[in-house]
Amino acid sequence: MFATVTRILLIFSLLLLLGCSPKPAVYHQQLLVFGTIVDIKLWGVEEKKGQQIVAQLDEDFKYMHRAWHAWQAGPLTRTNYFLASGKPFTGGPSILPLIKRASELSTLSGGLFNPAIGNLIALWGFASDEPPKGPPPTQEEIQHLLDQHPSMDSVTVNGISIQGSNPATRLDFGAFA
């Protein structure tokens, strides 16, 4: 009986001690990334260290935003320019992995996921920093772009060399980057 009471008191004491232990510090900050609010919580990190970590993360996201932006000057707009030319070119290191992943996702979806429809996205007015203005495109305008069959199949990657075979292909990674 004494052993049982001792065990119960010991367990109760341990639970009490665990309940009294201080909670780990939580650093919390929000960032606006690719038009989405990202909520960041770091446990067991002091505020100064948390600020440094989030600042580095923010810089990484800003780099990705610049590199993968579909209509502002950068590596992706350069890639789209050369894809339309049909000539082989050297792909940037920030773009090559995305092209490979986009091709995989397109294949896995049977072509339903198609990051090569950047011209269609632009036609609808979404390739701009401003909200779309005016009426939506006509069915004829949409069909004209669809009849050109832009797809990831028209983008060939060989090592670091990229080549496009369809000038209607314009990459926009906004759906997954």
Side-chain angles (χ1 to χ4, degrees):
M1 172 80 172
F2 180 72
T4 304
V5 172
T6 303
R7 282 188 194 138
I8 291 173
L9 285 174
L10 181 59
I11 291 171
F12 180 74
S13 297
L14 284 172
L15 289 174
L16 190 60
L17 285 173
L18 288 173
C20 293
S21 63
K23 292 182 180 180
V26 178
Y27 179 76
H28 178 242
Q29 189 173 336
Q30 291 183 331
L31 297 175
L32 183 63
V33 180
F34 304 115
T36 302
I37 294 177
V38 176
D39 198 45
I40 301 167
K41 290 183 181 179
L42 304 171
W43 278 265
V45 175
E46 297 299 323
E47 184 171 348
K48 185 175 180 177
K49 183 66 174 172
Q51 289 172 344
Q52 292 170 342
I53 292 168
V54 172
Q56 182 59 56
L57 186 60
D58 189 36
E59 284 303 311
D60 291 346
F61 281 134
K62 285 177 182 173
Y63 170 79
M64 290 178 224
H65 185 79
R66 287 186 304 271
W68 303 341
H69 205 286
W71 60 87
Q72 291 178 356
L76 183 56
T77 54
R78 175 187 176 274
T79 298
N80 282 328
Y81 172 80
F82 285 113
L83 282 174
S85 78
K87 297 176 184 173
F89 63 98
T90 302
S94 64
I95 298 299
L96 280 166
L98 285 175
I99 291 175
K100 291 175 184 175
R101 185 64 180 147
S103 293
E104 291 168 4
L105 293 171
S106 180
T107 299
L108 288 170
S109 71
L112 295 176
F113 177 75
N114 187 0
I117 61 166
N119 286 326
L120 187 61
I121 293 168
L123 178 66
W124 278 88
F126 296 116
S128 171
D129 292 326
E130 300 297 321
K133 293 181 179 128
T138 66
Q139 183 60 40
E140 292 79 24
E141 291 171 312
I142 294 168
Q143 194 60 51
H144 174 72
L145 286 178
L146 293 177
D147 289 344
Q148 296 176 51
H149 304 289
S151 74
M152 291 307 298
D153 292 338
S154 67
V155 180
T156 304
V157 177
N158 185 8
I160 62 169
S161 179
I162 304 172
Q163 186 171 7
S165 61
N166 180 347
T169 298
R170 180 174 163 190
L171 302 177
D172 187 319
F173 298 134
F176 80 102

